[in-house]
Amino acid sequence: MTHQHFDIVVSGGGIAGLTAAAAFGQAGFSVLCVDPTPPVTERDVAGSDLRTTAFLQPARSLLQDAGLWARLEDHAAPLQTMRIVDAGGAEPKPRVIKDFDAADISDLPFGWNLPNWLLRREMVAHLNEMPTVDLRLGVSSTDLFTRQAEARVQLSDGTTVTCKLVVAADGRNSTIRQKAGIDVKTTRYGQKALALAVTHPIPHENVSTEIHRSGGPFTLVPLPDFEGKPSSALVWMERSARAHELFDLPEEAFNAAMTERSCTLFGPLTLASRRTIWPIISQIADRFASERVALIAETAHVVPPIGAQGLNTSLGDLKVLLDLAVEQPDTIGGREILAKYDQKRRSDVAMRIKGIDLLNRASMAQSPILRNARAAGLQALYGMAPVRKMLMQMGLGAK
């Protein structure tokens, strides 16, 4: 039996997987990208992903090189300022407000925010136009066999393909990772995140606002206007029981709860989409590569949605892997390249996960003593200009 052969098989059609397919295809490699579930590409239908992704500066550069940014730029809301608010006093009112302005370190915004459902729509349309990419939606990877020279991937439609490299981007419960025999370490916080869109009377002025009280951060990220009103994406992290209570509230009561938790910084908040709810975990794979297989994105690591680090860290994986492949195109998927990829990425990701874990635990703090310590820490960090600049550069992925 003759098997179809590709340079690269990308298993997983989330945002990271679709970006990987575009990036490798643009670099001249033949790519097959598969995903069992065709993406929902409309805002207000069942199953749409109402979360948003803030692409930081390095991520935008990768999207430009992959040929994707031209399709996305007109839909993006720039993030010029990151505002951190501590509201940990007796009442939900701001005690400390600190702004981190991108102008302090760059001529560009920190990043650009886009809805996930729209990202999938534009990325799928782009991949369907690429002669180097075969996109098969409704098809999954079911089995994997590797040897020194190539990998063989069994697909759910009964076909088998061979390739030089399998890029595993099939999520936190990855089939490819399991077939490759790679374990993960998982931390559960007892939290969930509500993700939705809101409108508000006070313009956001391209400021991303993260409000800390207890249970987890309450983050409003700029979106383009919706139905003529200023709009933001909201990610509201709370302990699981409270998150489910909020999820089930009648709309009027939910709007009131959102407005109170926001310290009314943008005036009354009004729900402008469905509510969705997501579990919060941290997870990291024991290694990011095995024979002919590289793990990227949530297959390799999962972090709480704080500081726009999730997908941007995932695209950091892709950038390293792509650069190695372009430098040595004849040996992609080889032992040397994958060893370098694992070495470069796992230590950096592990450090970021520890940092985000500490931030999340600090944001969850319920006792007044810990809340006061969090406020004092924010004041101290902001007050030291070199430290403030370093934190902003680290947030962008700069070394």
Side-chain angles (χ1 to χ4, degrees):
M1 181 177 178
T2 301
H3 301 300
Q4 194 171 5
H5 183 80
F6 297 87
D7 293 325
I8 296 166
V9 170
V10 177
S11 181
I15 293 169
L18 296 174
T19 305
F24 281 109
Q26 187 73 14
F29 296 102
S30 61
V31 181
L32 170 66
C33 181
V34 298
D35 191 88
T37 307
V40 178
T41 56
E42 296 180 50
R43 181 184 187 274
D44 296 314
V45 300
S48 64
D49 185 352
L50 295 178
R51 295 173 296 176
T52 63
T53 295
F55 290 101
L56 302 180
Q57 289 179 19
R60 187 189 74 149
S61 297
L62 178 63
L63 294 173
Q64 287 175 322
D65 292 343
L68 289 166
W69 186 245
R71 300 189 73 109
L72 302 174
E73 186 172 12
D74 289 345
H75 304 286
L79 308 178
Q80 181 63 35
T81 302
M82 301 292 189
R83 178 169 294 156
I84 308 296
V85 178
D86 185 90
E91 299 294 328
K93 298 178 181 179
R95 297 190 299 177
V96 180
I97 301 178
K98 298 299 180 184
D99 286 355
F100 297 84
D101 192 331
D104 291 342
I105 60 171
S106 174
D107 293 332
L108 295 172
F110 280 112
W112 297 262
N113 198 44
L114 291 114
N116 285 5
W117 64 267
L118 184 144
L119 285 168
R120 288 185 168 91
R121 183 189 75 191
E122 297 301 318
M123 288 179 172
V124 166
H126 180 72
L127 290 175
N128 283 330
E129 295 173 355
M130 294 187 70
T132 52
V133 177
D134 183 347
L135 178 62
R136 302 183 194 176
L137 302 175
V139 177
S140 63
S141 304
T142 58
D143 207 355
L144 171 72
F145 173 76
T146 65
R147 54 190 179 191
Q148 189 172 349
E150 65 178 15
R152 182 175 298 164
V153 182
Q154 181 74 40
L155 303 178
S156 59
D157 62 3
T159 61
T160 300
V161 298
T162 56
C163 62
K164 298 175 183 177
L165 172 65
V166 178
V167 176
D170 49 344
R172 60 187 68 181
N173 299 313
S174 166
T175 297
I176 294 294
R177 189 186 63 223
Q178 293 169 10
K179 296 295 183 181
I182 301 175
D183 291 329
V184 294
K185 178 183 178 182
T186 303
T187 301
R188 303 186 187 281
Y189 297 96
Q191 288 172 296
K192 286 190 168 62
L194 297 170
L196 50 119
V198 298
T199 57
H200 39 80
I202 300 174
H204 50 62
E205 296 181 337
N206 297 328
V207 176
S208 176
T209 303
E210 191 170 278
I211 304 168
H212 297 263
R213 183 164 171 78
S214 66
F218 179 100
T219 306
L220 288 157
V221 187
L223 288 174
D225 288 358
F226 180 68
E227 295 182 347
K229 301 174 184 176
S231 181
S232 295
L234 170 62
V235 177
W236 185 355
M237 291 168 59
E238 281 285 357
R239 296 179 187 276
S240 293
R242 176 59 176 158
H244 282 287
E245 287 176 7
L246 292 164
F247 184 78
D248 292 333
L249 282 177
E251 185 169 326
E252 185 176 350
F254 184 74
N255 288 341
M258 283 195 297
T259 300
E260 180 184 48
R261 183 63 176 79
S262 73
C263 303
T264 324
L265 291 175
F266 295 93
L269 301 185
T270 302
L271 186 66
S273 71
R274 295 180 299 110
R275 283 169 265 187
T276 60
I277 191 166
W278 304 83
I280 301 300
I281 65 169
S282 285
Q283 185 167 283
I284 187 167
D286 290 347
R287 46 198 169 93
F288 284 10
S290 66
E291 187 176 62
R292 294 283 158 186
V293 176
L295 312 187
I296 71 167
E298 289 201 344
T299 303
H301 47 78
V302 182
V303 296
I306 295 175
Q309 291 300 298
L311 186 65
N312 288 278
T313 302
S314 300
L315 297 186
D317 302 339
L318 174 56
K319 181 70 167 76
V320 170
L321 188 61
L322 179 66
D323 286 348
L324 288 168
V326 170
E327 288 171 8
Q328 298 176 277
D330 295 334
T331 59
I332 59 165
R335 185 175 301 171
E336 180 182 351
I337 282 182
L338 292 177
K340 286 181 180 179
Y341 169 70
D342 180 68
Q343 181 182 24
K344 284 175 177 283
R345 285 308 293 160
R346 196 177 185 284
S347 58
D348 179 68
V349 169
M351 179 184 71
R352 289 181 183 274
I353 286 178
K354 288 179 182 178
I356 294 167
D357 177 85
L358 288 172
L359 289 172
N360 188 35
R361 293 183 189 279
S363 190
M364 292 173 69
Q366 291 182 301
S367 77
I369 293 174
L370 292 177
R371 290 187 191 181
N372 291 339
R374 182 181 64 209
L378 176 59
Q379 289 274 35
L381 289 173
Y382 188 85
M384 295 182 284
V387 175
R388 182 171 71 248
K389 184 175 180 180
M390 180 189 71
L391 290 173
M392 288 192 285
Q393 290 172 333
M394 287 180 65
L396 287 178
K399 298 296 184 185

